[in-house]
Amino acid sequence: RSESLTVTTQARDERHHARLGLDTDGRFTALTIDSVRNGGAHFAIFGGGPLFSCLGMAPGPYDITRYGARGRVVATTTVPTAAYRGFGQTQAAFIRERLIDDAARQLDVDPVELRRRNLVRPDQQPFTNRAGITYDNGDYAATLDAAHKAADAWPAPPDDGRCYGVGYATYVQMAGLGPSTINSLIGLSIGGFETAALAVDPGGDVEIVVGTVPHGQGHATSFARIVADRLGIDRARIRLAPPDTDRSPFSLYGTAASRSMAVGGAALVQAADRVADQLRALAADELEAAEVDIELVDGTARVRGGGGAVDIDTLARRAWQGRGLPAGLEPGLHARVSYDPPSCTFSFGTHVCRVAVDPDTGRVQIDRYHVVQDCGTVIDAAIVEGQTHGAIAQGATASVLEEVVVDDRANPLTGTLVSYLVPGPDFLPAITIEQQHTPSPYTPGGMKGIGEGGTNGAYAAVANAIAAAIPDAAADLTATPFSPQRIWNALRRSS
């Protein structure tokens, strides 16, 4: 791993000076941020992009009266920095949520109540934040209230000499990046559309071809479920074709930015619906019924309320024979759709965790962790939870462990996994996840991106929990990770 740690791109080397203004009622009146990002010795792909994203999403789910930000990217002699899971929105949540907890501490108010007082309400949606980004929909306070209820039900921590603290982070995540027009506004000379194709063969089996390439996200499972639900067939009969540049649809953006389901999946929803319409037309002709009365269930096309049914295998054979088809139908059962979304999607949620800090060593243990999140329509709950677990691990380790260290001449001092701290199997406790569902008004199928949101919530929630555990030293915790050494030093300075 030495080459990876010393040569390939790194991330999040930034300094932010931020201020949050409040009125006497605890309303957020202003947020200002002045940021500098280390771009490294030369610009990597998206080298400055995370800072652009950070400052655009820094207001988060709150109705802040005024907002101003300045961002600069500087060149140094270190390794170039680039995109990392969260793409700047992780830093945005950290800056904002730490400021809110600091304000609550100074004003001696409940940090949950302070958040609730300032969250954008559902009746304000679609809401344009003060950076000019328009959110789609959602009840942000509902996730905060559910997280607070879960935390209240936790058993009291043991009296073991450690300091315990509970931390929250509420976020809104710009995900499902896709609109080609938005890409052009931020300097990306690429389209943001995705294409999906599917075909039912003469035997009734289905093949899906998409442009986004999976690398562990479970595309085969999720895409198959979309088609199975719309065609009423067993998922075992649906196959996702492997990526192949000779036949896969052209994708300019590919698998990134939590967009495979929100953009590629939306294209597949439309393609599956077109094939479903073809099946209903065939079945209506076969059963002498109206198309609107045909439902696709359990491998058959049947008339609602009785009146006959025909299996989809029979309809597929008839479609590919091409003889005597209803007017307007071409031979075969297939569809290909390109989808360019009108907007990004905006998933959201609240993370709450409890940590234990050993005052003698500065060591942190995450004791409890609960997430309430909303990514619109959930296609496969297990995959969504798996994405969230992995994202939490990445966000939490950034809070307390992972750090690239260089000397005054930029020579790397963390060149192996011995000196670069990585989490062990006991790092995270059991994570409990609640799903809420606010379908996207833009996406066919209602899906929103979820792959990166867990990182954003975890980075800030763990940091806030540590600060809550040692409030006298919290003001001194300004640089991540909150490593045992930094915590120990902060405790000694505050004693």
Side-chain angles (χ1 to χ4, degrees):
R1 297 294 181 184
S2 294
E3 289 93 344
S4 294
L5 288 163
T6 57
V7 179
T8 58
T9 56
Q10 296 165 1
R12 297 180 182 159
D13 190 359
E14 300 171 0
R15 294 186 181 184
H16 305 272
H17 296 268
R19 295 186 299 172
L20 178 66
L22 300 89
D23 64 17
T24 54
D25 294 324
R27 302 285 182 180
F28 299 158
T29 58
L31 173 64
T32 63
I33 305 174
D34 191 350
S35 303
V36 178
R37 176 181 174 90
N38 174 18
H42 58 84
F43 239 13
I45 295 176
F46 295 123
L51 184 57
F52 183 92
S53 175
C54 169
L55 299 181
M57 290 301 294
Y62 303 98
D63 187 355
I64 300 173
T65 307
R66 292 176 180 171
Y67 173 63
R70 178 176 71 158
R72 291 167 289 170
V73 182
V74 300
T76 70
T77 56
T78 63
V79 173
T81 57
Y84 187 70
R85 195 172 191 173
F87 199 75
Q89 297 184 72
T90 305
Q91 297 93 295
F94 179 88
I95 297 163
R96 180 188 66 247
E97 298 300 304
R98 289 286 289 117
L99 282 173
I100 292 172
D101 268 29
D102 284 344
R105 228 178 333 268
Q106 293 182 40
L107 299 174
D108 194 26
V109 298
D110 180 1
V112 173
E113 174 55 31
L114 189 57
R115 285 178 169 83
R116 187 184 293 114
R117 195 175 302 171
N118 289 280
L119 286 169
V120 173
R121 302 185 310 274
D123 62 9
Q124 293 178 277
Q125 301 276 22
F127 180 83
T128 301
N129 75 13
R130 295 305 181 265
I133 295 175
T134 301
Y135 308 152
D136 44 17
N137 58 5
D139 189 344
Y140 305 147
T143 68
L144 176 64
D145 291 341
H148 190 215
K149 180 179 179 181
D152 275 350
W154 289 338
D159 184 11
D160 57 7
R162 294 184 296 175
C163 305
Y164 286 82
V166 174
Y168 289 82
T170 300
Y171 71 92
V172 58
Q173 165 79 21
M174 182 169 63
L177 191 63
S180 298
T181 52
I182 290 181
N183 282 348
S184 63
L185 290 175
I186 62 176
L188 296 177
S189 56
I190 58 174
F193 64 89
E194 286 298 330
T195 303
L198 71 88
V200 183
D201 69 20
D205 293 331
V206 179
E207 182 180 65
I208 304 167
V209 186
V210 297
T212 58
V213 177
H215 45 268
Q217 298 93 333
H219 287 182
T221 300
S222 296
F223 287 148
R225 186 180 286 276
I226 285 175
V227 174
D229 289 347
R230 279 163 172 75
L231 302 189
I233 62 175
D234 192 329
R235 278 185 292 162
R237 303 191 67 178
I238 302 170
R239 171 181 176 267
L240 176 65
D244 185 337
T245 52
D246 286 337
R247 66 186 299 249
S248 295
F250 184 53
S251 174
L252 287 143
Y253 207 109
T255 304
S258 301
R259 64 190 303 276
S260 291
M261 195 54 54
V263 186
L268 185 61
V269 164
Q270 293 181 323
D273 285 345
R274 290 187 187 181
V275 171
D277 288 343
Q278 295 167 22
L279 286 169
R280 279 188 283 267
L282 285 166
D285 183 71
E286 192 89 12
L287 300 171
E288 298 182 351
E291 287 185 36
V292 294
D293 293 330
I294 301 295
E295 58 181 355
L296 305 177
V297 181
D298 297 332
T300 66
R302 68 189 186 193
V303 181
R304 289 185 179 88
V310 57
D311 63 78
I312 289 175
D313 293 8
T314 298
L315 296 177
R317 283 194 298 273
R318 181 181 173 188
W320 284 104
Q321 286 171 350
R323 299 192 305 271
L325 298 178
L329 281 189
E330 297 179 351
L333 273 176
H334 51 80
R336 181 185 177 99
V337 173
S338 292
Y339 172 70
D340 195 349
S343 171
C344 296
T345 63
F346 293 85
S347 55
F348 56 94
T350 298
H351 289 218
V352 59
C353 70
R354 186 171 71 191
V355 305
V357 177
D358 186 334
D360 295 324
T361 65
R363 184 177 182 272
V364 174
Q365 180 186 4
I366 302 174
D367 175 55
R368 300 273 173 171
Y369 207 106
H370 188 79
V371 179
V372 185
Q373 62 186 14
D374 192 320
C375 60
T377 302
V378 172
I379 301 300
D380 190 284
I383 286 178
V384 169
E385 290 197 5
Q387 289 272 9
T388 304
H389 285 169
I392 288 171
Q394 287 183 266
T397 55
S399 275
V400 299
L401 291 178
E402 296 184 74
E403 181 178 20
V404 172
V405 181
V406 298
D407 65 17
D408 291 341
R409 298 180 63 83
N411 295 308
L413 302 180
T414 45
T416 72
L417 294 183
V418 174
S419 53
Y420 182 85
L421 299 180
V422 294
D426 62 343
F427 178 71
L428 287 176
I431 298 169
T432 52
I433 298 175
E434 287 183 62
Q435 301 285 356
Q436 297 187 0
H437 307 283
T438 309
S440 166
Y442 306 126
T443 308
M447 299 84 72
K448 300 183 179 186
I450 190 60
E452 298 168 280
T455 309
N456 303 342
Y459 188 42
V462 172
N464 276 339
I466 294 170
I470 49 173
D472 291 343
D476 204 28
L477 293 174
T478 58
T480 58
F482 292 172
S483 61
Q485 183 69 56
R486 284 198 175 103
I487 291 174
W488 191 88
N489 289 339
L491 285 168
R492 293 303 169 273
R493 283 192 288 267
S494 64
S495 61

